[in-house]
Amino acid sequence: MKRMRLPLIALAAAGALALSACASGDTPGAEETTAPEVEAVEFEEGTTMAALADAGTITIGTKFDQPLFGLMGPSGTPEGFDVEIGKIIASELGISEDKIEWKEAVSANREPFIQNGEVDIVIATYTINDKRKEVVSFAGPYYMAGQSILVLADNDDIESEDDLVGQPVCSVTGSTPAAKLAEIGAEPVLTDTYSNCLEPLRNGTVVAVSTDNVILAGLAAQNEGEFKVVGKPFTEEPYGIGLALEDTEFRMWINDVLEKAYEDGRYEEAWNKTAGTVLPFVEPPAPDRY
Amino acid sequence: MEQLWSLMPIFFEGFRVTLLLLVVSGVLALVLGTVIAAMRISPVPALRGFAAVWTEIARNTPLTLVFFFTAFVLPMLGVRAPYILLAFIALTYYTSPFVAEALRSGINGVPIGQAEAARSIGLGFGQTVSLVVLPQAFRMTIPPLINVFIALTKNTSVAGGFFVVELFATTRQLANDNGNIVIPILLTAAVLYLVITVPLGFVAARLEKRWVVKR
Amino acid sequence: MTGTSVLFDAPGPRARRVSLILSIVSLVAILGLVVWVGMLLAAPRESGGITLPGMFDPSRWNIFADPQVWTSIGRGVVATLQAAAVAAVGAIILGIVFSLMRSSSIAWVRIPTAWLLEFLRGMPVLLMMLFILLVASTGAFWAVVIALVLYNGTLIGEILRAGLAALPRGQREAALSVGMREFQSKMLVEFPQAFRQMLPIIVAQLVVLLKDTSLGYIVGYNEIIRNNMNNLGSFYGNRYMFSLFAVTLVIYLVINLTLSWFARWLSRRTASGGGRKRKTADPMNPAALLEAEARADEADRAAANRGLGKYDGTGR
């Protein structure tokens, strides 16, 4: 039938686009610069480390929209402190930087990603807590953040979390800081990205933005002079590396890698390259081997 | 199971906000859509053109961008309103062209003799439309309108990213706080949405069935 | 509706003058509004003790001079189009399957399918995407695509069912009478015609599908909006939020308007001339689908009652 040709052509074009989709896969393009050489390492048979080293690639879940920790710029690969930690772990497995597959771990899907094996580890400003420990296990913590407050630079009324009670405060949907705000009696105003919180702060609809202090510092640095971080962190948010619940060997091995990186300066180097441009370096917390 | 049950009050709060968004935006969209539809068939070319452009742009903007505009750009222009009002504006704007199109098809379904008869006894445009055409068109418009409201129910979930804590935002918050029962939480949210949309769908199908035969 | 001129008298000189004045006044008013909005946005603002430049200040637009930014934006556009294309193909295939199942003569196929379709139509696409991502561990792209395929597959299935019902009965009877089986008749004779008939409405639904890819942000799929507003926005900072928004809006309007016009053009081209003068309904109209569905239900029921096929051994 002649008249079928047009729709058939349309379908064929769609199919061609589809095939190209399958070919290009999930993650956008790899780095163009040559990655530093890593040495091949030997592991015990049957461990996750051996499997990953043999495969020559590791899938790491991280954030793509957290300033200083995991940020996806136009280059196509994420940058940030979490990303650097991931690179350190990968290099210990004999996997070079450009062989790491980065997947975006939005807050809601971190546990299911690990449970389904979608990613091997998650390094995504992932706070360790007991409820999560029921379904995934954590290596680390590798950084101790704390929830803090961001206000306009000329606002001297807010000095600590007590001043937030009964006030509207902005945070991100589905985050631990948002739950904490409700707990202390502030009115949470929620949105999808931290960057979105700045506009309500600017026009006075909310009095403050509250989340982990490192993210706030990143936001303040991006908007010089307009905002400031106030008060001391009023919670403890230990950032951990999430992995499969039963994989104790892998977890202990990652803890070993972390301790090694603390000692030989790679941790400090990673910090100075990323978050250290805005925040002072602090001694890392000891890994919790539970 | 216990854990999920203890979260139900929070779910219902989100459900309440979703219902609020649905009802208020629905009513406002009905009003605005009727105005736009009337403008489409009016004798003034300027109004016809305006309505046509409004419909085209509104139908081709993704809802997320509409929300960006109302939640961020409007306050920049000095519109100081609580975010739920801005959400009403966004949803109303986005739904109005669909309402207008549904009304237009209803109006097109009214036999032309009705309009001719009305004109022949001397009724003007406004009177013809409001006294003769619209009442008959309305009956035929209800089923497609209900479909538009079903779509609106689902669209309220986008408001969750823009400072309105409705059912979907509540779901995401609960899923984060209770990382061990993420799937049951999502299922509960799905059921709550279906509680609204499935009955509406049945009503629409039944009404359409009844009136198709009559046509 | 040719009756628009029925609703009011042909405008006389006075009415035309009033109409002209009204047009000019409204045009001036709209232009004035646009200029006023532009001026408000361009004004510098005080915030936190410092002065921020206006929205049209070059410092807010300088990132667009960087070709890498445009490459990234291009990646977002490609991601959107890829998801839409794959989902479109899948939705059409699933639509064919669903319409076959829905009009099956076997009750225990037809009725559960009807319930399944109601369920799929009633769930928000956002929730479906999140659910598929978390339960089936498919990755962001396939979560988006599968959710879109399921949702739009149901709608296209209904459209095709309506198209089948609108066909002259003689087509199916002729196919059966030359010895084709039920399934062959459907695939070789009825579906191709139904497809052509309903093509404008189907294409209109595919335009909606494209818009819905923007919901992929929830599973982290880097389509246009997420790529521009979340990723680039977080990377370059809040300063560029408005400019990124403006660029994103323009891109989306261009893509969607092009597709909508294509749908309308297609509707005009494939409108069956033939003997019957059919009202070329605007395919973008949501009511068209519902009406078609109802007629399909009617026809199905009528055909079943007529006992068509009871005597030819193949059953219906």
Side-chain angles (χ1 to χ4, degrees), chain B residues 45 59-60 108 119 154 197, chain C residues 6 9 19 121 211 256 260:
Chain B
R59 271 216 298 238
N60 287 299
N108 282 351
R119 296 281 300 137
K154 295 185 287 176
T197 54
Chain C
V6 171
D9 288 328
S19 185
R121 266 172 98 166
K211 267 197 305 179
N256 280 342
S260 300

Side-chain angles (χ1 to χ4, degrees), chain A residues 186-238:
Chain A
E187 265 174 49
V189 176
L190 303 177
T191 181
D192 273 333
T193 347
Y194 293 110
S195 200
N196 287 357
C197 274
L198 294 179
E199 197 53 41
L201 183 57
R202 217 173 260 144
N203 64 33
T205 321
V206 297
V207 301
V209 177
S210 182
T211 178
D212 298 346
N213 52 351
V214 290
I215 299 169
L216 294 178
L219 288 176
Q222 269 179 345
N223 299 278
E224 287 176 34
E226 200 184 342
F227 304 109
K228 63 178 180 188
V229 182
V230 293
K232 294 212 172 328
F234 53 93
T235 63
E236 277 195 346
E237 308 286 336

Side-chain angles (χ1 to χ4, degrees), chain C:
Chain C
M1 177 171 165
T2 55
T4 36
S5 59
V6 171
L7 290 173
F8 46 85
D9 288 328
R14 186 164 166 271
R16 274 204 297 268
R17 214 178 327 129
V18 169
S19 185
L20 187 63
I21 294 177
L22 202 63
S23 308
I24 296 179
V25 166
S26 43
L27 202 62
V28 166
I30 291 179
L31 274 177
L33 188 70
V34 168
V35 167
W36 178 68
V37 164
M39 278 177 28
L40 269 182
L41 288 176
R45 299 157 44 174
E46 287 287 321
S47 169
I50 61 169
T51 315
L52 299 172
M55 291 301 154
F56 298 114
D57 190 84
S59 71
R60 292 190 188 264
W61 296 80
N62 53 14
I63 55 170
F64 294 112
D66 184 358
Q68 248 200 342
V69 170
W70 287 107
T71 320
S72 172
I73 294 180
R75 262 204 296 263
V77 173
V78 168
T80 295
L81 293 177
Q82 273 176 350
V86 176
V89 171
I92 292 178
I93 296 175
L94 190 63
I96 295 179
V97 168
F98 273 151
S99 67
L100 279 173
M101 286 168 71
R102 184 76 170 77
S103 23
S104 158
S105 50
I106 311 171
W108 60 262
V109 166
R110 189 177 63 237
I111 301 191
T113 311
W115 283 94
L116 177 67
L117 294 184
E118 273 310 308
F119 173 80
L120 288 177
R121 266 172 98 166
M123 272 248 280
V125 180
L126 271 181
L127 201 54
M128 245 198 270
M129 283 184 186
L130 202 53
F131 200 76
I132 294 173
L133 178 78
L134 301 184
V135 170
S137 80
T138 51
F141 177 76
W142 287 107
V144 171
V145 167
I146 293 176
L148 288 175
V149 163
L150 285 176
Y151 179 68
N152 290 284
T154 44
L155 292 181
I156 292 184
E158 292 295 288
I159 295 173
L160 284 176
R161 204 162 64 86
L164 282 179
L167 284 181
R169 264 187 18 240
Q171 294 290 319
R172 195 173 156 275
E173 288 171 353
L176 291 176
S177 70
V178 296
M180 289 195 201
R181 315 211 53 204
E182 187 68 41
F183 184 68
Q184 280 176 319
S185 151
K186 280 248 158 58
M187 296 302 288
L188 294 175
V189 173
E190 299 179 69
F191 264 126
Q193 295 187 57
F195 216 88
R196 180 165 67 82
Q197 203 73 288
M198 301 311 249
L199 196 59
I201 303 187
I202 293 180
V203 174
Q205 188 56 40
L206 295 181
V207 172
V208 174
L209 187 153
L210 181 75
K211 267 197 305 179
D212 279 351
T213 57
S214 68
L215 299 175
Y217 77 88
I218 201 72
V219 292
Y221 186 60
N222 285 319
E223 43 74 47
I224 301 177
I225 298 184
R226 189 181 176 87
N227 185 52
N228 290 7
M229 308 301 301
N230 273 25
N231 295 357
L232 290 180
S234 298
F235 187 81
Y236 286 112
N238 187 256
R239 199 173 354 143
Y240 299 98
M241 186 184 70
F242 182 79
S243 15
L244 284 170
F245 165 71
V247 168
T248 312
L249 185 63
V250 167
I251 293 178
Y252 247 113
L253 282 179
V254 166
I255 297 180
N256 280 342
L257 284 174
T258 312
L259 276 171
S260 300
W261 282 331
F262 175 68
R264 287 218 183 83
W265 172 80
L266 203 62
S267 134
R268 272 198 298 272
R269 253 204 60 166
T270 61
S272 60
R276 270 188 310 168
K277 181 163 190 267
R278 135 192 312 275
K279 234 183 341 190
T280 43
D282 183 1
M284 306 300 291
N285 192 329
L289 168 59
L290 210 66
E291 191 187 311
E293 246 177 45
R295 291 191 197 282
D297 277 339
E298 255 311 292
D300 271 352
R301 210 183 332 276
N305 291 339
R306 229 177 279 123
L308 190 71
K310 271 210 191 112
Y311 301 112
D312 67 2
T314 57
R316 192 190 194 270

Side-chain angles (χ1 to χ4, degrees), chain B residues 8-211:
Chain B
M8 287 316 281
I10 313 179
F11 266 119
F12 283 136
E13 178 58 26
F15 187 66
R16 184 191 69 88
V17 176
T18 295
L19 277 182
L20 183 66
L21 285 171
L22 170 64
V23 168
V24 175
S25 309
V27 168
L28 289 177
L30 258 182
V31 170
L32 186 57
T34 312
V35 168
I36 302 282
M39 282 166 72
R40 277 303 278 274
I41 58 174
S42 81
V44 183
L47 292 181
R48 280 207 299 269
F50 176 77
V53 168
W54 174 283
T55 313
E56 266 316 287
I57 305 261
R59 271 216 298 238
N60 287 299
T61 323
L63 186 56
T64 317
L65 288 182
V66 176
F67 265 108
F68 252 111
F69 184 79
T70 55
F72 295 116
V73 181
L74 280 187
M76 279 186 211
L77 299 175
V79 178
R80 287 273 185 278
Y83 282 111
I84 191 149
L85 284 188
L86 297 173
F88 290 150
I89 295 177
L91 286 171
T92 306
Y93 168 76
Y94 186 74
T95 315
S96 63
F98 299 106
V99 171
E101 286 298 289
L103 281 175
R104 213 157 67 92
S105 94
I107 291 175
N108 282 351
V110 174
I112 199 169
Q114 296 289 314
E116 287 173 344
R119 296 281 300 137
S120 69
I121 60 170
L123 298 179
F125 168 72
Q127 287 171 314
T128 312
V129 169
S130 58
L131 296 175
V132 175
V133 175
L134 273 184
Q136 296 186 61
F138 196 59
R139 217 184 49 156
M140 270 177 263
T141 308
I142 302 252
L145 275 184
I146 295 186
N147 257 24
V148 169
F149 287 142
I150 294 177
L152 178 59
T153 312
K154 295 185 287 176
N155 287 339
T156 56
S157 49
V158 182
F162 296 92
F163 311 111
V164 175
V165 186
E166 43 67 67
L167 182 56
F168 194 60
T170 313
T171 310
R172 288 163 68 196
Q173 189 63 43
L174 289 175
N176 183 75
D177 296 342
N178 301 277
N180 44 354
I181 50 166
V182 171
I183 305 296
I185 289 179
L186 288 182
L187 282 175
T188 315
V191 166
L192 285 173
Y193 273 110
L194 289 174
V195 157
I196 307 179
T197 54
V198 169
L200 278 180
F202 276 144
V203 169
R206 293 284 293 279
L207 287 179
E208 181 70 27
K209 220 166 292 181
R210 265 207 306 167
W211 288 330

Side-chain angles (χ1 to χ4, degrees), chain A residues 89-170:
Chain A
I89 296 179
S91 71
E92 287 290 316
L93 284 170
I95 301 174
S96 69
E97 278 180 19
D98 49 352
K99 289 281 194 302
I100 304 177
E101 196 186 331
W102 299 101
K103 283 207 175 154
E104 183 168 9
V106 282
S107 289
N109 62 18
R110 284 178 297 203
E111 287 88 27
F113 264 15
I114 296 172
Q115 288 172 301
N116 297 330
E118 184 93 21
V119 296
D120 296 308
I121 53 176
V122 168
I123 318 179
T125 59
Y126 201 7
T127 311
I128 303 176
N129 72 30
D130 290 325
K131 277 206 184 121
R132 289 174 182 164
K133 275 189 183 164
E134 286 177 37
V135 287
V136 299
S137 62
F138 287 97
Y142 62 92
Y143 184 75
M144 190 64 81
Q147 190 170 344
S148 189
I149 308 171
L150 184 80
V151 296
L152 287 171
D154 57 359
N155 181 339
D156 293 320
D157 300 326
I158 310 249
E159 290 187 346
S160 74
E161 69 273 19
D162 302 318
D163 300 320
L164 294 179
V165 177
Q167 305 265 38
V169 182
C170 187

